[in-house]
């Protein structure tokens, strides 16, 4: 049986067996609904008080919920059999606390009785997915943005940057903007998320964005409850916030300038190698026009070397940016488990959870 690969994001969990040229077998929401004691789900229409988020801002926060979710994924989704559990590789977000890593390996060996464990950082895995071992990963996730220089398969943690905003903050921003233009309509955050995915796009550059604020084609959209709203310039504000975070009230530079500043802290010998092998991933990066805007901003950046995006190989699945870390994990699983570089049950029994820091780095 192939090793299982699990990439638990704040919004979506990606899981499947280690077959790199295929999409993950499971792509499911990470958020769960709490079941009442009588086995029913609460009838609260908002669902806010029963929604459970095992993963927040990239990190596992609710371990009981994560255990339940993994039980469903591994046994019901991937078909593991009780008493015959296999090997598993997890993706780690940038700067994962040591305690989290230890708790995860403990959960897998003591609760799920797995035969082998490995974990690797998402920044490295996203590069593996496009056939690189050195470069810079810009991961625009649901709850955070990570910018990580990777040299010879190792993340430069000193230079890396993590920003505590992501796709969920852009959704909230869009909700505010839609509220201004549709003041009489109450739009749920789940509907706003769907609107963001359907309509949001990036303007060609700052000048083009300014023009949309003056005049922009308006479309009507019918909500599930039958209410009709209008969507105009709002579709551009979401993408623009990545390049102008001041729209979100954040005093920080846009994503391309942050990339350039991150690389500037690394040895100058590596600047060209990193900037010319830039990988952008995460669900938000699949927004219409994002790649073109990123390249346009790159040509205007303060760097003498222009950041260049790496194109995924043609044989890789479509929409690779959505689950590049999972694909990289599937590639790595084909190496670490056959070559016995992983944490075995014997390793864990002898050393305990701290073995993860010696074997997985």
């Amino acid at each position: 049986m192939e090793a299982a690969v699990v990439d638990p994001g704040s919004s979506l969990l990606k899981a499947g067996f280690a077959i790199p040229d295929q999409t993950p077998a499971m792509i499911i929401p990470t958020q769960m609904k709490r079941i009442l004691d009588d086995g029913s789900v609460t009838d609260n229409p908002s669902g806010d008080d029963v929604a459970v988020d095992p993963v927040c801002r990239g990190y596992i926060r609710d371990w009981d919920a994560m255990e339940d979710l993994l039980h469903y994924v591994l046994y019901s989704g991937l078909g593991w059999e009780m008493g015959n559990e296999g090997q598993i590789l997890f993706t780690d977000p940038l700067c994962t606390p040591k305690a989290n890593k230890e708790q995860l390996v403990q959960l897998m060996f003591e609760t799920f009785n797995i035969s082998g464990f490995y974990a690797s950082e998402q920044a490295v895995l996203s590069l593996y997915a496009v056939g690189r071992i050195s470069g810079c990963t810009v991961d625009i996730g649901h709850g955070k943005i990570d910018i990580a220089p990777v040299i010879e398969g190792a993340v430069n943690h000193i230079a890396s940057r993590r920003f505590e905003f992501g796709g969920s903050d852009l959704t909230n921003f869009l909700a505010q903007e839609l509220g201004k233009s549709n003041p009489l309509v109450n739009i749920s955050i789940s509907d706003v998320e769907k609107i963001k995915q359907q309509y949001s796009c990036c303007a060609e550059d700052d000048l083009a964005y300014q023009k949309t604020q003056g005049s922009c084609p308006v479309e009507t959209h019918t909500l599930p409850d039958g209410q009709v709203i209008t969507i105009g310039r709002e579709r551009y504000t979401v993408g623009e916030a990545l390049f102008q975070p001041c729209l979100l009230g954040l005093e920080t530079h846009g994503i391309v300038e942050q990339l350039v500043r991150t690389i500037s802290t690394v040895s100058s010998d590596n600047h060209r190698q990193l900037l010319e092998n830039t990988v952008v991933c995460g669900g938000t990066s699949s927004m219409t026009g994002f790649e073109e805007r990123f390249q346009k901003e790159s040509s205007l950046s303060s760097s003498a070397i222009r950041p260049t995006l790496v194109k995924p190989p043609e044989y890789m699945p479509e929409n690779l940016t959505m689950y590049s870390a999972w694909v990289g994990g599937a590639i790595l699983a084909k190496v670490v488990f056959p070559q016995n570089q992983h944490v075995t049950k014997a390793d864990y029994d002898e050393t305990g959870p701290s073995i993860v820091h010696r074997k997985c780095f």
Side-chain angles (χ1 to χ4, degrees):
M1 181 169 64
E2 295 281 1
V5 179
V6 179
D7 178 20
S10 304
S11 175
L12 297 174
L13 180 143
K14 286 75 69 180
F17 292 111
I19 306 172
D21 58 351
Q22 295 184 11
T23 58
M26 297 183 73
I27 302 177
I28 61 174
T30 307
Q31 189 178 79
M32 304 161 70
K33 290 281 191 273
R34 195 181 302 280
I35 303 296
L36 301 179
D37 292 338
D38 61 2
S40 65
V41 178
T42 179
D43 57 0
N44 185 320
S46 73
D48 291 340
D49 59 344
V50 292
V52 181
D53 291 299
V55 182
C56 296
R57 302 285 182 193
Y59 299 144
I60 299 173
R61 298 298 189 200
D62 188 329
W63 287 93
D64 290 337
M66 178 52 72
E67 181 181 332
D68 291 340
L69 182 58
L70 288 174
H71 194 280
Y72 168 74
V73 167
L74 297 173
Y75 295 111
S76 300
L78 300 185
W80 274 14
E81 296 177 359
M82 289 280 191
N84 189 33
E85 288 82 1
Q87 300 166 323
I88 192 164
L89 183 147
F90 276 85
T91 71
D92 271 343
L94 188 67
C95 307
T96 300
K98 283 188 174 184
N100 275 40
K101 293 183 180 182
E102 292 182 13
Q103 196 159 351
L104 179 59
V105 73
Q106 181 177 358
L107 174 70
M108 298 316 298
F109 277 113
E110 296 187 10
T111 301
F112 289 89
N113 198 33
I114 60 169
S115 59
F117 176 92
Y118 200 81
S120 185
E121 293 189 274
Q122 293 165 356
V124 175
L125 298 177
S126 293
L127 281 168
Y128 287 168
V130 295
R132 301 291 195 277
I133 61 172
S134 297
C136 195
T137 303
V138 180
D139 186 347
I140 310 172
H142 183 69
K144 47 78 182 178
I145 296 176
D146 293 336
I147 301 180
V150 178
I151 300 170
E152 299 295 321
V155 174
N156 184 322
H157 288 105
I158 296 175
S160 298
R161 299 186 182 196
R162 173 185 165 93
F163 302 94
E164 297 280 332
F165 76 94
S168 61
D169 301 280
L170 297 178
T171 301
N172 292 332
F173 179 50
L174 178 59
Q176 293 175 16
E177 294 298 301
L178 288 173
K180 294 174 184 175
S181 53
N182 300 272
L184 302 180
V185 182
N186 186 21
I187 314 171
S188 72
I189 204 68
S190 60
D191 286 336
V192 175
E193 179 69 30
K194 292 171 185 173
I195 291 168
K196 183 184 77 173
Q197 295 172 4
Q198 181 177 347
Y199 292 98
S200 290
C201 54
C202 286
E204 183 181 345
D205 53 28
D206 180 39
L207 183 61
Y209 172 72
Q210 296 299 333
K211 289 181 179 178
T212 67
Q213 302 308 287
S215 62
C216 183
V218 175
E219 288 187 49
T220 58
H221 175 83
T222 304
L223 298 171
D225 62 3
Q227 296 183 94
V228 178
I229 62 169
T230 59
I231 302 171
R233 60 176 183 77
E234 296 88 1
R235 74 180 67 192
Y236 292 100
T237 58
V238 176
E240 194 65 25
L242 292 169
F243 300 96
Q244 296 191 59
C246 59
L247 294 175
L248 296 172
L250 299 173
E251 295 181 6
T252 186
H253 295 281
I255 196 163
V256 173
E257 188 60 25
Q258 291 288 7
L259 166 65
V260 169
R261 286 168 178 256
T262 299
I263 301 302
S264 69
T265 64
V266 179
S267 168
S268 59
D269 295 342
N270 300 115
H271 285 186
R272 182 173 296 279
Q273 181 183 36
L274 294 171
L275 286 169
E276 291 184 351
N277 291 283
T278 298
V279 171
V280 175
C281 55
T284 306
S285 68
S286 61
M287 189 186 305
T288 302
F290 175 83
E291 188 175 315
E292 292 79 5
R293 177 63 181 276
F294 190 95
Q295 295 284 32
K296 183 76 176 283
E297 294 290 327
S298 296
S299 66
L300 302 172
S301 72
S302 60
S303 172
I305 303 168
R306 178 177 175 176
T308 306
L309 296 180
V310 177
K311 297 286 186 181
E314 291 183 3
Y315 57 80
M316 281 300 182
E318 289 186 25
N319 300 321
L320 182 63
T321 57
M322 298 281 289
Y323 38 77
S324 57
W326 184 91
V327 170
I331 292 170
L332 184 60
K334 291 285 194 182
V335 177
V336 294
F337 292 113
Q339 295 185 5
N340 292 318
Q341 297 172 5
H342 60 286
V343 179
T344 64
K345 185 72 167 70
D347 292 330
Y348 180 80
D349 289 341
E350 179 181 343
T351 309
S354 63
I355 185 66
V356 72
H357 308 306
R358 284 173 28 204
K359 284 262 185 156
C360 309
F361 50 83

